[in-house]
Amino acid sequence: MTQDDLTYFRSWFADYSRSYYSADKEDQKNILLKVEHTEHVCRNIVAIARGSSLSEDQVRLAEAVALFHDVGRFRQYMKYKTFRDAVSINHGLLGSKILIEENLLQRLPGDEQQLIIQAVKFHNAFAIPAMLPGDIILFLKLIRDADKVDIFRVFIKYYESPQEERASATAFSVPDTPEYSAVMISCIKNRKVASYANIRTENDFKLMKLSWVYDMHFNESVRLLVEGDYVNSIINKLPQTREICSAVTVLRDYVSERLKNEEQT
Ligand SMILES: [Fe+2]
């Protein structure tokens, strides 16, 4: 992929996302949320790819994957007015179909087209499908990390904005009560990624986000989370009970270990 290809894709994405702009304030807020998210994910993926010593050609491919990873969000939102796949449509799969439908990647060699399509298709799968070829897995790891790093930013912004400025489709619509579930605490303590299925309250949701730290493939991604102060910000939004504090200690130790490993490499 050349720099010209990337420039072309950027301008296509700008036009495509603009075509979904809306006069309705709420819709526009939700659409812009995904435009901004895409910009951040592009920046994150370039930082992670460069920080992990990938070639400049791979960095460009990674950026194209980031640019298109949520291309399905716009149609998903317009049709269902939500970003929750469980109650609407799988936006990764939809995005891969849009890329094919639009004939957008034709200017690239076949293997690069496949790589982008597959990475978009599976970027939101609960786990990386083991049967995929190694080069696709590398780009899936990159996009999943870059995406998750920015989802931390999006949620912190959501929690810190006044009610009327919040992009409604970000919410998970669970009660904001002081409770949290034992299964979430045990995930954090056991260094396991928590599942959406166990979310009962907003605190569970925050704990689930924190558990994503354990799912980062690149040390550079953990470094970006620390640089943005994202881990601390979420921890500070939780009730500081004894249980939560001891779980969070495990998490903080994990972060230090990852960053120490980075220094050694
Ligand atoms: Fe996505």
Side-chain angles (χ1 to χ4, degrees):
M1 178 187 300
T2 64
Q3 193 59 38
D4 273 358
D5 292 328
L6 191 55
T7 306
Y8 172 81
F9 293 148
R10 283 193 194 123
S11 109
W12 180 89
F13 180 82
D15 291 344
Y16 181 81
S17 52
R18 219 174 289 130
S19 74
Y20 282 89
Y21 279 15
S22 165
D24 180 274
K25 255 182 124 183
E26 200 52 48
D27 291 346
Q28 181 66 0
K29 220 190 295 177
N30 285 313
I31 293 298
L32 283 181
L33 182 86
K34 287 301 167 191
V35 174
E36 276 171 33
H37 168 64
T38 299
E39 286 166 7
H40 280 91
V41 176
C42 286
R43 246 176 275 160
N44 291 346
I45 211 166
V46 169
I48 299 165
R50 290 221 171 100
S52 310
S53 311
L54 267 65
S55 72
E56 274 310 297
D57 199 43
Q58 287 175 308
V59 174
R60 278 192 294 274
L61 262 171
E63 187 174 340
V65 169
L67 189 63
F68 296 136
H69 83 287
D70 264 356
V71 74
R73 286 300 197 185
F74 303 100
R75 202 186 284 174
Q76 176 189 39
Y77 182 78
M78 274 311 158
K79 190 154 180 212
Y80 302 98
K81 303 282 169 170
T82 182
F83 294 133
R84 284 183 66 189
D85 285 15
V87 295
S88 60
I89 194 167
N90 180 333
H91 76 277
L93 182 63
L94 177 63
S96 69
K97 285 183 181 160
I98 291 170
L99 291 180
I100 297 167
E101 213 176 275
E102 297 275 339
N103 271 330
L104 183 66
L105 306 176
Q106 268 179 340
R107 54 194 288 142
L108 299 179
D111 57 335
E112 295 187 353
Q113 294 186 26
Q114 269 318 304
L115 195 148
I116 295 172
I117 290 168
Q118 300 298 319
V120 169
K121 185 171 173 182
F122 294 113
H123 84 272
N124 58 329
F126 185 71
I128 294 179
M131 299 308 284
L132 290 171
D135 55 342
I136 296 179
I137 291 185
L138 169 68
F139 284 86
L140 264 179
K141 287 179 176 172
L142 285 166
I143 185 59
R144 289 164 74 96
D145 273 24
D147 197 10
K148 287 199 175 86
V149 169
D150 194 56
I151 292 172
F152 275 83
R153 180 194 63 83
V154 171
F155 277 97
I156 291 162
K157 195 174 158 201
Y158 175 84
Y159 285 122
E160 290 179 353
S161 304
Q163 205 80 38
E164 64 279 8
E165 282 172 29
R166 294 178 174 186
S168 58
T170 312
F172 199 72
S173 328
V174 281
D176 188 9
T177 54
E179 287 91 40
Y180 49 87
S181 306
V183 59
M184 291 292 165
I185 298 291
S186 96
C187 283
I188 302 283
K189 279 198 156 171
N190 294 305
R191 299 185 168 186
K192 292 228 155 53
V193 183
S195 145
Y196 273 100
N198 293 318
I199 296 171
R200 301 282 175 269
T201 64
E202 289 234 14
N203 285 328
D204 286 346
F205 192 76
K206 290 169 191 167
L207 288 163
M208 188 209 61
K209 290 283 155 219
L210 280 180
S211 80
W212 282 7
V213 175
Y214 299 135
D215 202 24
M216 293 294 175
H217 299 284
F218 298 90
N219 290 336
E220 183 65 21
S221 315
V222 179
R223 200 192 58 73
L224 286 178
L225 286 179
V226 171
E227 192 182 270
D229 204 28
Y230 299 152
V231 177
N232 278 331
S233 300
I234 296 189
I235 292 172
N236 291 338
K237 289 173 183 37
L238 284 163
Q240 304 297 305
T241 63
R242 198 178 44 82
E243 265 176 326
I244 287 188
C245 289
S246 81
V248 154
T249 306
V250 177
L251 181 86
R252 287 196 200 280
D253 288 346
Y254 175 85
V255 169
S256 317
E257 286 165 27
R258 292 288 304 258
L259 297 185
K260 217 183 282 158
N261 286 341
E262 193 182 38
E263 279 163 23
Q264 283 163 0
T265 50

